[in-house]
């Protein structure tokens, strides 16, 4: 048994899609979340910068005595894939759990991947899916406007601008006949309702944050690191920029008021 918190990080709000699922499947676990809101987006940056930012994010979480680190960021998982190897703690990104779920879900072998420009450029999902099943045909597309739309809270079902952007990005994937779509950036499930409407009900959406939370739960169980189940877990949120904007959108997304639990961190100190 291990009551230390699970550390989760992302460039901003996206990793909350993993937190939401962690809270759902492991309500007793303590969670520390870091959103690098002062430096979001990561997806348009160079590998060197992404490696540096991810290193600092993980150093901050390690300073909080976490028992495991989740890079709940598709960009870090894809571009800085080896970064967890330096850790003595269990670590996972979102790439492998999401690709494995897509490999299982596809019936016609046509899998779509949407993610940040850096993730798509890295070819990580293509490689991972080919390793799972070389017959899988991959159709990928970067969707750089989704992250700022989500970070600015343009996430409601009737948000016409987000809907138009989604139609523009996703129509070619729908026309290619994919039956499975990996939301390879953890921000995207926040607008899942819009993505799903554009793609139609015949396409299975894979939520990389959700798949990773399930993977984390299985790993902690296997290593005997689950916490004591007698109390409800605590969640603390840290951001590198203004706390107000984050707590409002995060609160809507997680379905609970998190104002009191958000703190600021100077990430350059790590
Ligand atoms: N949520 C992140 C991802 O999964 C990052 C988005 C960004 O910062 O560009 O890729």
């Amino acid at each position: 048994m291990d009551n230390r918190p699970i550390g989760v990080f992302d460039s901003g709000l996206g990793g909350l899609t993993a937190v939401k699922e962690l809270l759902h499947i492991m309500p007793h676990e303590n969670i520390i979340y870091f959103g690098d809101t002062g430096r979001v987006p990561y997806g348009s940056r160079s590998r060197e910068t992404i490696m540096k930012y991810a290193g600092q994010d993980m150093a901050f979480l390690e300073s909080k005595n976490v028992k495991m680190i989740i890079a709940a960021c598709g960009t870090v998982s894809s571009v800085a894939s080896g970064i967890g190897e330096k850790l003595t703690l269990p670590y996972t990104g979102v790439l492998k759990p999401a690709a494995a779920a897509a490999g299982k879900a596809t019936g016609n072998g046509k899998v779509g991947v949407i993610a940040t420009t850096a993730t798509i450029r890295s070819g990580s999902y293509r490689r991972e899916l080919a390793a799972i099943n070389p017959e899988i045909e991959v159709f990928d597309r970067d969707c750089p406007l989704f992250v700022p739309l989500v970070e600015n809270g343009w996430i409601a079902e009737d948000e016409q601008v987000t809907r138009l952007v989604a139609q523009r990005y996703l129509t070619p994937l729908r026309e290619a006949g994919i039956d499975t779509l990996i939301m390879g950036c953890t921000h995207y499930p926040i607008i899942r309702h819009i993505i799903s409407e554009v793609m139609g009900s015949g396409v299975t959406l894979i939520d990389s944050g959700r798949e990773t939370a399930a993977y984390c739960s299985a790993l902690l169980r296997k290593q005997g690191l689950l916490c004591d189940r007698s109390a409800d877990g605590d969640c603390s949120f840290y951001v590198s920029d203004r706390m107000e904007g984050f707590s409002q959108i995060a609160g809507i997304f997680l379905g609970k008021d998190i104002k009191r639990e958000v703190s600021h961190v100077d990430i350059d100190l790590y």
Side-chain angles (χ1 to χ4, degrees), residues 210-254:
R210 176 181 292 174
E211 298 304 331
T212 303
Y215 173 84
C216 163
S217 156
L219 188 84
L220 291 179
R221 181 162 299 114
K222 198 164 135 206
Q223 301 201 357
L225 294 175
L226 288 170
C227 72
D228 166 14
R229 298 168 65 92
S230 62
D232 268 357
D234 246 6
C235 233
S236 332
F237 300 90
Y238 292 83
V239 290
S240 53
D241 202 346
R242 283 177 61 245
M243 293 172 286
E244 296 75 24
F246 178 88
S247 50
Q248 194 208 349
I249 301 169
I252 297 173
F253 180 69
L254 291 176

Side-chain angles (χ1 to χ4, degrees), residues 6-10 15 18-19 22 26 32-33 58 61 66 68-73 77 87 90-94 209 212-213 215-217 220:
I6 301 169
V8 183
F9 75 94
D10 178 45
V19 171
L22 287 170
M26 295 189 289
I32 294 201
Y33 182 82
M58 297 197 326
L61 290 175
V66 295
M68 171 170 189
I69 291 185
I70 302 178
C73 174
S77 315
L87 290 171
Y91 164 89
T92 183
V94 298
T212 303
Y215 173 84
C216 163
S217 156
L220 291 179

Side-chain angles (χ1 to χ4, degrees), residues 10-11 14-15 40-44 72-76 94 116 119 147 184-187:
D10 178 45
S11 58
V40 66
Y42 284 10
S44 51
C73 174
T75 306
V76 169
V94 298
T116 64
T119 296
V147 169
C185 168
T186 51
H187 278 70

Side-chain angles (χ1 to χ4, degrees), residues 38-47 49-50 53 75 79 118 121:
R39 305 190 295 196
V40 66
Y42 284 10
S44 51
R45 298 185 193 274
S46 68
R47 180 168 190 275
T49 303
I50 295 166
Y53 288 178
T75 306
V79 177
R121 205 190 298 128

